[in-house]
Amino acid sequence: MSIDTLEPLLAEHPFLQGIKKDYLQLITGCAKNVRFEAGHVIFREGEAADQFYLVRHGKIALEVYLPERGSNSILTLGAGDALGWSWLIPPYKWRFDARAIETTQAFALDGKCLRGKCEKDPSLGYELLKRIAVIIAERLHATRLQMLDVYGARE
Amino acid sequence: MNDGPQRAGSIDPMLPAPWRIRRVRRNTRDTFTLDLEPVYAGISLPFLPGQFNMIYLFGVGEVPISMSGDPESSGAMTHTVRAVGTVTRVMSRLKRGDEIGIRGPFGASWPVEEAAGKDVVIVAGGIGLAPLRPVIYHILARREKYGRVALLYGARTPHDILYQDELEKWRGRFDLQVEVTVDNVSAGQSWKGNVGVVTSLIAGARFDPAQTIAMICGPELMMRFTMAELKKRGIGDDSIFISMERNMKCAVGFCGHCQFGPTFICKDGPVFRSDRINPWLSKREI
């Protein structure tokens, strides 16, 4: 079977599961397949956030660079995860570094292309925002749990 | 081992039996494992995964510690302990040949029989892997009786991961999914594994929610978050089991120190089905 478009593959990704076919077609128009070898820096803090990634296989680390200490991994993402929402939020700059720590396959969605389509069709924008809001909320909950240091010693 | 009086802990639950330390292993900077053998011949304390002993340091005090060894290893007892209080700090200085008192085993066990024929998800946080290790031994000893088995483990840092050699060995098995994550990694540390809370591993765990038993052990907050995630994946409250920790003293439901709502953690737990304990978890007054 040949696959002429990424649409059926995109439809299987958890981030887009159950999305209306019309929206999926619009999103597919902004998507491409990408592959990163282990160690490849996908983006760096401060660079233009012009992509949004849906991970298919592999593992990516979100890192922050600490002067005189080096890169510090703060979160890893794997198959089924979405990487980056800075493409949607001004000033459209990455806030962290992202590096593949295993060979990684993903869909790269062109942020500028998606923003344009969302402006033209606010219902698509609302649908994507709802899905991204879930991710933001999950990451916020997880970060709070990390901050609570629940495994720390207590008397 | 000599032939002294037969003083098994099971005869009088309030009377400690003397056990001798056969080996001390340092697991992490604050956690250690004691392998114990009975001082007097003929004493053995058969236990079920999830049960605990009261360990008495003569002249110091007594603490409840779950068994962390293989339930089928006869004549020996293994406890993994974190040095966090007066008794456990003194315990961390014990050496091979030192003697301690043991009462037990006490409490309800993990539902290893109920889980037979089903998928099993084991979620552990920090020292919470220790009370679940006997479950893993039990399952691996009769692997064909269970469906898919996933072990999801979260620790504070890479240095705080318990039983690293065993985790590595289990990860190499084709019939066991093992995922480990840490909350924090220091800059420059060569950690290639996952970073994030243990709940983030649940999405990638392979199981059929309708045919799964989940067992969770760790800090209470971690267990609450984990239960919520497992329920999101479709596992029912009646298929999720957690191990509770409270101030246990007598271990047989006399003293009331560990009363939690209508239950005693020592006698009715420490392992509870989540729908039976959940109503009390959210009560701040308890």
Side-chain angles (χ1 to χ4, degrees), chain B residues 129 133 136-137 140 151 163 165-178:
Chain B
L129 181 58
R133 191 166 68 153
I136 301 164
Y137 289 138
L140 294 182
L151 167 62
Y163 315 131
D165 293 346
E166 260 179 323
L167 284 169
E168 215 39 62
K169 199 168 73 184
W170 292 336
R171 199 200 298 268
R173 293 180 64 118
F174 66 90
D175 58 355
L176 186 62
Q177 182 186 5
V178 178

Short mmCIF file of all heavy atoms in Angstrom, two decimals, chain B residues 129 133 136-137 140 151 163 165-178:
data_model
loop_
_atom_site.label_atom_id
_atom_site.label_comp_id
_atom_site.label_asym_id
_atom_site.label_seq_id
_atom_site.Cartn_x
_atom_site.Cartn_y
_atom_site.Cartn_z
N LEU B 129 9.35 1.32 45.63
CA LEU B 129 9.66 0.13 44.83
C LEU B 129 9.92 -1.08 45.73
O LEU B 129 9.67 -2.21 45.34
CB LEU B 129 10.88 0.40 43.93
CG LEU B 129 11.31 -0.73 43.00
CD1 LEU B 129 10.16 -1.16 42.07
CD2 LEU B 129 12.51 -0.31 42.17
N ARG B 133 8.68 -4.98 45.14
CA ARG B 133 9.63 -5.93 44.58
C ARG B 133 9.20 -7.39 44.78
O ARG B 133 9.31 -8.19 43.85
CB ARG B 133 11.04 -5.69 45.12
CG ARG B 133 12.09 -6.49 44.35
CD ARG B 133 13.50 -6.02 44.64
NE ARG B 133 13.92 -6.33 46.00
CZ ARG B 133 15.18 -6.52 46.36
NH1 ARG B 133 16.15 -6.43 45.46
NH2 ARG B 133 15.49 -6.76 47.62
N ILE B 136 7.02 -8.41 41.99
CA ILE B 136 7.74 -8.70 40.74
C ILE B 136 8.35 -10.10 40.80
O ILE B 136 8.23 -10.87 39.85
CB ILE B 136 8.81 -7.61 40.49
CG1 ILE B 136 8.13 -6.24 40.40
CG2 ILE B 136 9.60 -7.90 39.21
CD1 ILE B 136 9.07 -5.06 40.53
N TYR B 137 8.94 -10.43 41.95
CA TYR B 137 9.50 -11.79 42.09
C TYR B 137 8.39 -12.83 41.92
O TYR B 137 8.58 -13.85 41.26
CB TYR B 137 10.13 -11.97 43.48
CG TYR B 137 11.42 -11.21 43.69
CD1 TYR B 137 11.67 -10.55 44.88
CD2 TYR B 137 12.41 -11.19 42.71
CE1 TYR B 137 12.85 -9.88 45.11
CE2 TYR B 137 13.60 -10.52 42.93
CZ TYR B 137 13.81 -9.86 44.12
OH TYR B 137 14.98 -9.19 44.33
N LEU B 140 7.32 -13.04 38.22
CA LEU B 140 8.36 -13.63 37.35
C LEU B 140 8.53 -15.12 37.61
O LEU B 140 8.92 -15.87 36.71
CB LEU B 140 9.69 -12.89 37.53
CG LEU B 140 9.70 -11.43 37.06
CD1 LEU B 140 11.08 -10.82 37.24
CD2 LEU B 140 9.26 -11.30 35.61
N LEU B 151 6.24 -2.29 34.62
CA LEU B 151 6.76 -1.68 35.84
C LEU B 151 7.18 -0.26 35.50
O LEU B 151 8.05 -0.04 34.67
CB LEU B 151 7.97 -2.48 36.36
CG LEU B 151 8.80 -1.78 37.47
CD1 LEU B 151 7.96 -1.54 38.72
CD2 LEU B 151 10.03 -2.61 37.82
N TYR B 163 17.75 -0.61 43.34
CA TYR B 163 17.92 -1.90 42.66
C TYR B 163 18.30 -1.73 41.19
O TYR B 163 17.68 -2.31 40.29
CB TYR B 163 16.63 -2.72 42.74
CG TYR B 163 15.96 -2.75 44.09
CD1 TYR B 163 14.60 -2.49 44.23
CD2 TYR B 163 16.68 -3.05 45.25
CE1 TYR B 163 13.97 -2.54 45.47
CE2 TYR B 163 16.05 -3.09 46.50
CZ TYR B 163 14.70 -2.83 46.60
OH TYR B 163 14.07 -2.87 47.81
N ASP B 165 20.77 -2.70 39.32
CA ASP B 165 21.18 -3.91 38.57
C ASP B 165 19.97 -4.75 38.19
O ASP B 165 19.88 -5.27 37.07
CB ASP B 165 22.16 -4.76 39.40
CG ASP B 165 23.48 -4.04 39.61
OD1 ASP B 165 23.72 -3.05 38.89
OD2 ASP B 165 24.26 -4.47 40.48
N GLU B 166 19.05 -4.89 39.14
CA GLU B 166 17.86 -5.71 38.87
C GLU B 166 16.97 -5.04 37.82
O GLU B 166 16.44 -5.72 36.93
CB GLU B 166 17.06 -5.91 40.16
CG GLU B 166 17.32 -7.24 40.78
CD GLU B 166 16.55 -7.45 42.06
OE1 GLU B 166 16.39 -6.48 42.83
OE2 GLU B 166 16.12 -8.58 42.28
N LEU B 167 16.83 -3.73 37.92
CA LEU B 167 16.01 -3.02 36.92
C LEU B 167 16.57 -3.25 35.52
O LEU B 167 15.84 -3.47 34.56
CB LEU B 167 15.96 -1.52 37.24
CG LEU B 167 15.06 -1.11 38.40
CD1 LEU B 167 15.30 0.34 38.78
CD2 LEU B 167 13.58 -1.30 38.06
N GLU B 168 17.90 -3.19 35.45
CA GLU B 168 18.57 -3.40 34.16
C GLU B 168 18.29 -4.81 33.64
O GLU B 168 18.01 -5.02 32.46
CB GLU B 168 20.07 -3.17 34.37
CG GLU B 168 20.82 -2.54 33.22
CD GLU B 168 20.07 -1.45 32.49
OE1 GLU B 168 19.72 -0.42 33.08
OE2 GLU B 168 19.84 -1.67 31.30
N LYS B 169 18.35 -5.77 34.55
CA LYS B 169 18.11 -7.17 34.18
C LYS B 169 16.65 -7.36 33.73
O LYS B 169 16.38 -7.99 32.72
CB LYS B 169 18.42 -8.06 35.39
CG LYS B 169 18.65 -9.52 35.05
CD LYS B 169 19.23 -10.27 36.24
CE LYS B 169 18.18 -10.50 37.32
NZ LYS B 169 18.68 -11.15 38.52
N TRP B 170 15.74 -6.78 34.48
CA TRP B 170 14.31 -6.91 34.15
C TRP B 170 14.02 -6.22 32.81
O TRP B 170 13.20 -6.68 32.03
CB TRP B 170 13.43 -6.31 35.24
CG TRP B 170 13.47 -7.07 36.54
CD1 TRP B 170 13.79 -8.38 36.71
CD2 TRP B 170 13.21 -6.54 37.85
NE1 TRP B 170 13.72 -8.71 38.05
CE2 TRP B 170 13.37 -7.61 38.77
CE3 TRP B 170 12.84 -5.29 38.35
CZ2 TRP B 170 13.18 -7.46 40.15
CZ3 TRP B 170 12.65 -5.14 39.71
CH2 TRP B 170 12.82 -6.21 40.60
N ARG B 171 14.69 -5.11 32.58
CA ARG B 171 14.46 -4.37 31.33
C ARG B 171 14.86 -5.21 30.11
O ARG B 171 14.32 -5.05 29.03
CB ARG B 171 15.27 -3.07 31.34
CG ARG B 171 14.75 -2.03 30.35
CD ARG B 171 15.82 -1.01 30.05
NE ARG B 171 16.23 -0.27 31.22
CZ ARG B 171 15.69 0.88 31.58
NH1 ARG B 171 14.73 1.40 30.89
NH2 ARG B 171 16.14 1.52 32.64
N GLY B 172 15.81 -6.11 30.34
CA GLY B 172 16.27 -6.96 29.25
C GLY B 172 15.32 -8.10 28.90
O GLY B 172 15.52 -8.79 27.92
N ARG B 173 14.30 -8.28 29.72
CA ARG B 173 13.34 -9.37 29.45
C ARG B 173 12.34 -8.94 28.38
O ARG B 173 11.89 -7.80 28.37
CB ARG B 173 12.58 -9.74 30.72
CG ARG B 173 13.44 -10.38 31.80
CD ARG B 173 12.59 -10.69 33.01
NE ARG B 173 11.57 -11.66 32.71
CZ ARG B 173 11.48 -12.86 33.30
NH1 ARG B 173 12.35 -13.21 34.20
NH2 ARG B 173 10.50 -13.69 32.98
N PHE B 174 11.96 -9.88 27.55
CA PHE B 174 10.98 -9.54 26.51
C PHE B 174 9.56 -9.55 27.06
O PHE B 174 8.64 -9.07 26.41
CB PHE B 174 11.10 -10.53 25.34
CG PHE B 174 10.71 -11.93 25.70
CD1 PHE B 174 9.40 -12.35 25.55
CD2 PHE B 174 11.65 -12.83 26.21
CE1 PHE B 174 9.03 -13.64 25.91
CE2 PHE B 174 11.27 -14.10 26.57
CZ PHE B 174 9.97 -14.52 26.42
N ASP B 175 9.36 -10.12 28.25
CA ASP B 175 8.00 -10.26 28.78
C ASP B 175 7.72 -9.30 29.92
O ASP B 175 6.83 -9.51 30.72
CB ASP B 175 7.76 -11.71 29.23
CG ASP B 175 8.76 -12.16 30.29
OD1 ASP B 175 9.69 -11.38 30.60
OD2 ASP B 175 8.62 -13.29 30.79
N LEU B 176 8.51 -8.24 30.02
CA LEU B 176 8.31 -7.27 31.10
C LEU B 176 8.66 -5.88 30.57
O LEU B 176 9.77 -5.67 30.08
CB LEU B 176 9.23 -7.64 32.28
CG LEU B 176 9.12 -6.86 33.58
CD1 LEU B 176 7.74 -7.03 34.20
CD2 LEU B 176 10.17 -7.36 34.57
N GLN B 177 7.71 -4.96 30.64
CA GLN B 177 8.00 -3.58 30.23
C GLN B 177 8.48 -2.80 31.45
O GLN B 177 7.75 -2.71 32.45
CB GLN B 177 6.74 -2.91 29.66
CG GLN B 177 6.99 -1.49 29.16
CD GLN B 177 5.72 -0.77 28.73
OE1 GLN B 177 4.60 -1.28 28.87
NE2 GLN B 177 5.88 0.44 28.21
N VAL B 178 9.68 -2.31 31.38
CA VAL B 178 10.24 -1.55 32.51
C VAL B 178 10.56 -0.14 32.05
O VAL B 178 11.32 0.05 31.10
CB VAL B 178 11.52 -2.23 33.06
CG1 VAL B 178 12.12 -1.41 34.20
CG2 VAL B 178 11.21 -3.64 33.54
#
